[in-house]
Amino acid sequence: MNMLIGKEYCKVDINGRFKLPLAHKKLLSAIIEEGFIIRESVFDACLELWPRKEFERKTSEDVSKLNPYNPKDRLIIRVLSEGNPVDLDANDRILIPNDQKKSKKIDKDIVLIPQGNLIEIWDISAYENIKKSTTNIAEMIAERLGGMTNDE
């Protein structure tokens, strides 16, 4: 899969569908036929849109590290495996399942943010709130990636 870049703003229609932006559709063209999985993010107030094969690979890899006889591991397996298969319709729209839309408070305006092998689907106000709460992103980048300063 080609790396996706750039955020895209979309509208969710009354039926819970959004149109996949053309830029993303072109980059994902080789895998569109395989379909996607929408899963609730474990860590953030967003949904994750995974290419189906990547979701299956990553979930299988993660689950293989866990013990299905351990109650905590079973819960983790359950959460990691939860996801709804979705496809593009004839008009390049993706339907967000109602339960996931409600759980992450996705309303009318959304923003798509690429994150490596998946696309985060954020309600626009939740995304703006998290951006505001990140006080010093430059410091965080320098700390995590090292050696990066404004002086260079």
Side-chain angles (χ1 to χ4, degrees):
M1 179 173 102
N2 292 328
M3 183 176 166
L4 298 173
I5 55 172
K7 63 184 171 187
E8 294 281 348
Y9 295 92
C10 303
K11 297 268 187 208
V12 176
D13 69 18
I14 195 160
N15 297 316
R17 301 170 301 197
F18 70 92
K19 187 171 178 95
L20 188 66
L22 185 58
H24 286 135
K25 185 180 176 198
K26 285 180 181 178
L27 288 169
L28 296 169
S29 63
I31 60 169
I32 284 177
E33 290 299 315
E34 298 164 6
F36 300 92
I37 302 291
I38 290 184
R39 170 173 86 178
E40 294 177 28
S41 173
V42 175
F43 301 106
D44 293 304
C46 67
L47 299 173
E48 299 170 345
L49 180 68
W50 289 80
R52 180 186 294 267
K53 282 191 177 174
E54 181 61 22
F55 178 84
E56 290 169 355
R57 183 198 65 74
K58 180 67 173 139
T59 302
S60 176
E61 178 184 298
D62 291 345
V63 165
S64 72
K65 299 173 187 172
L66 300 169
N67 177 355
Y69 299 106
N70 177 300
K72 289 180 182 177
D73 285 1
R74 274 199 317 275
L75 176 60
I76 293 168
I77 291 168
R78 202 171 296 126
V79 168
L80 293 178
S81 301
E82 284 180 353
N84 291 311
V86 294
D87 294 300
L88 285 183
D89 69 11
N91 294 312
D92 299 332
R93 296 174 301 194
I94 294 176
L95 175 66
I96 302 172
N98 250 352
D99 60 324
Q100 292 175 329
K101 205 169 74 162
K102 286 178 184 174
S103 78
K104 296 299 181 175
K105 298 180 175 100
I106 303 247
D107 195 23
K108 187 176 181 178
D109 295 309
I110 61 173
V111 59
L112 306 180
I113 306 292
Q115 275 295 346
N117 294 331
L118 63 98
I119 299 171
E120 293 179 339
I121 303 170
W122 287 85
D123 180 80
I124 190 72
S125 24
Y127 182 71
E128 287 174 358
N129 286 340
I130 202 162
K131 280 185 66 176
K132 286 178 191 172
S133 70
T134 308
T135 54
N136 196 339
I137 191 70
E139 270 182 30
M140 290 169 58
I141 291 170
E143 177 186 317
R144 300 298 298 154
L145 297 176
M148 299 176 77
T149 65
N150 286 337
D151 300 335
E152 293 179 8

